Amino acid sequence: MEHWIYTFKIAGHALSVNMDTLLTMWLTMILLIVIAFITTRKTSIIPTKLQIIGEGIVNYFANITKASMGESEAKKHMPLILTLFMFILTANLVGQLPWHLIHLKSGELASPNNDINMTAAMAIVVSLYYIYYGVKKKGIHFFVHGFSIDGIIITLVDTLELFVRPFSLALRLFANIFAGEVLVFTIVGMVAYFAPLPFMLFELFVALIQALVFTLLSTTYISMAIKDE
């Protein structure tokens, strides 16, 4: 599936961007800002249904992060963790909208997460984030675990993981979202009515699961980086 590529020049250098991904990414961010504003505009002791959902999401990840890294560290890293989950979930759901009705000269509008550039960017941010806090907490010992045989082996394994983790995060999310959209598009092309509905409902489930997987793995990596043991 090709992208709508727009090329422009900055200081004599040509840069290309996937405009379809940028459009749906900005739509996702706008939706999140609007939802956050509506949810928090009139909070009360007797919550609305939307407030209950928002508080439920916050409490769910608050409990997970507290159990994983302790209360003080959880408060520090919750903004990133919640942002990851809400953005990925919303972006996945945006991909379920009937974008195929809009015909572009090239490419097509879809979930921004069906672009490997999008998922790779998030994976790199997560990696740089936990490496920064790991080095801040442990210094050089974040990378080097001693000069014994065990320490050297663990150091080599951890070094390999620093490169493998962002690849696995990016590819897992991209592959699942991309494959799901291709599947639905293929079924719609074969049988336009009723038959695609079960697959579309299943993709809603996949959208939630993939957002959870990416976020929980990120939480685990951050926790492993900052814990003394």
Side-chain angles (χ1 to χ4, degrees), residues 10 21 30-31 38 42 71-72 83 101-102 104 147 152 180 204 212 214:
I10 296 180
T21 302
I30 291 170
L31 285 174
I38 294 174
K42 292 182 179 180
E71 187 170 355
S72 61
T83 301
L101 299 176
I102 302 174
L104 305 176
F147 296 98
I152 292 173
L204 295 178
L212 272 174
F214 193 103

Side-chain angles (χ1 to χ4, degrees), residues 72-86:
S72 61
E73 292 290 346
K75 290 180 180 179
K76 185 187 301 182
H77 305 296
M78 272 286 287
L80 174 70
I81 293 167
L82 275 173
T83 301
L84 281 173
F85 175 76
M86 292 305 301

Side-chain angles (χ1 to χ4, degrees), residues 9 23 29 35 37 42-43 51 69 75 86 88-89 142 154 159-160 167 171 181 186 191 199 213-214:
K9 289 186 177 181
L23 288 174
M29 292 191 292
I35 292 171
F37 176 76
K42 292 182 179 180
T43 56
Q51 185 180 336
M69 59 186 74
K75 290 180 180 179
M86 292 305 301
I88 294 171
L89 177 61
F142 176 78
I154 294 173
T159 302
L160 180 62
F167 276 105
L171 289 176
E181 292 189 354
T186 303
V191 184
F199 296 94
V213 168
F214 193 103

